[in-house]
Amino acid sequence: DVKVTQSSRYLVKRTGEKVFLECVQDMDHENMFWYRQDPGLGLRLIYFSYDVKMKEKGDIPEGYSVSREKKERFSLILESASTNQTSMYLCASSSAFLYSYEQYFGPGTRLTVT
Amino acid sequence: QKEVEQDPGPLSVPEGAIVSLNCTYSNSAFQYFMWYRQYSRKGPELLMYTYSSGNKEDGRFTAQVDKSSKYISLFIRDSQPSDSATYLCAMSRRNDMRFGAGTRLTVKP
């Protein structure tokens, strides 16, 4: 059974704190993604990585950074959390197949910044 | 204009009804068209995908793609309470995948 796990289901942080969200996949996938999901806006891509130590900005990278030191692990970092980063964060992975149509998602982390 | 438009609903139907969910898009380069289902407090899971135009059927679910109109649909026949979820359309070109906002569906017993 394929699996993407995220380190926390719920997280409450204060404004200005540094926040780490961890994601691990066990499918040996090359690609990994971080999205945020907000009502009415759907899933918006923050960053993705297609290989270890490689990263590409998505549509809304401002205020975020990422780290991928190992193939199975992709971390999202909020350098200085702000209230407008309160959201559901979803990690996903997919194979490197050129026209990949399937991404496997983790259960999400609901982050509240107060 | 958003790249993918999807009516967020919510949509509430009685058990056994036929459900129609729709999305429009603006980028004609998309090649794969997907429907993901997301249950409450879970991540989205792929339900169906279609390559280019045409229909695809899987049990009670039918996906349709009309590339000329840039319009995709998902039909659910004989809807069940277990179908209650948020349905997200998605489309991709290479590794660039775009999602709709999701339609929340409730099927009442």
Side-chain angles (χ1 to χ4, degrees):
Chain A
D1 192 21
V2 297
K3 227 171 182 172
V4 178
T5 56
Q6 295 183 229
S7 52
S8 304
R9 294 300 304 272
Y10 300 94
L11 213 49
V12 180
K13 296 291 182 181
R14 293 190 183 276
T15 302
E17 277 193 85
K18 191 169 186 176
V19 182
F20 292 87
L21 303 182
E22 302 284 335
C23 175
V24 177
Q25 52 97 0
D26 65 0
M27 295 163 281
D28 201 34
H29 282 165
E30 291 77 11
N31 302 329
M32 296 188 76
F33 308 83
W34 274 106
Y35 295 90
R36 62 177 285 176
Q37 185 175 30
D38 299 289
L41 298 177
L43 273 70
R44 292 181 291 167
L45 183 64
I46 304 171
Y47 267 97
F48 70 96
S49 168
Y50 53 87
D51 202 351
V52 176
K53 296 191 186 295
M54 306 300 287
K55 61 185 179 184
E56 294 283 342
K57 291 181 180 179
D59 299 317
I60 51 165
E62 297 78 19
Y64 304 94
S65 62
V66 290
S67 172
R68 194 170 181 197
E69 296 297 319
K70 293 186 177 182
K71 189 176 184 179
E72 68 271 17
R73 190 178 296 270
F74 193 34
S75 302
L76 179 69
I77 303 150
L78 287 66
E79 295 291 342
S80 178
S82 63
T83 55
N84 63 11
Q85 292 178 311
T86 291
S87 186
M88 171 69 84
Y89 289 87
L90 289 162
C91 175
S93 70
S94 71
S95 74
F97 185 56
L98 188 61
Y99 295 102
S100 177
Y101 52 82
E102 183 167 17
Q103 294 186 5
Y104 294 86
F105 286 85
T109 295
R110 184 164 293 281
L111 173 67
T112 302
V113 182
T114 62
Chain B
Q1 183 192 7
K2 287 183 184 175
E3 209 163 4
V4 180
E5 297 273 6
Q6 181 176 11
D7 185 343
L11 187 61
S12 180
V13 302
E15 183 175 353
I18 295 173
V19 176
S20 172
L21 305 170
N22 311 292
C23 287
T24 59
Y25 63 95
S26 57
N27 188 345
S28 58
F30 289 133
Q31 295 176 300
Y32 280 92
F33 302 88
M34 291 76 69
W35 286 94
Y36 280 77
R37 179 172 61 193
Q38 184 176 20
Y39 290 114
S40 182
R41 291 185 290 277
K42 301 265 186 166
E45 287 183 303
L46 181 66
L47 182 62
M48 297 181 70
Y49 77 94
T50 308
Y51 176 71
S52 193
S53 280
N55 292 359
K56 190 171 186 177
E57 191 172 318
D58 184 1
R60 297 184 292 110
F61 298 86
T62 300
Q64 289 185 351
V65 174
D66 182 348
K67 290 191 78 175
S68 62
S69 302
K70 298 190 179 69
Y71 188 87
I72 72 171
S73 300
L74 177 71
F75 297 96
I76 307 173
R77 292 184 299 280
D78 187 26
S79 56
Q80 302 295 310
S82 58
D83 295 329
S84 297
T86 297
Y87 290 81
L88 299 99
C89 63
M91 37 212 79
S92 68
R93 176 183 176 274
R94 298 179 187 270
N95 271 314
D96 183 17
M97 190 177 292
R98 301 288 164 168
F99 290 86
T103 300
R104 180 181 289 184
L105 171 68
T106 301
V107 180
K108 296 188 174 179

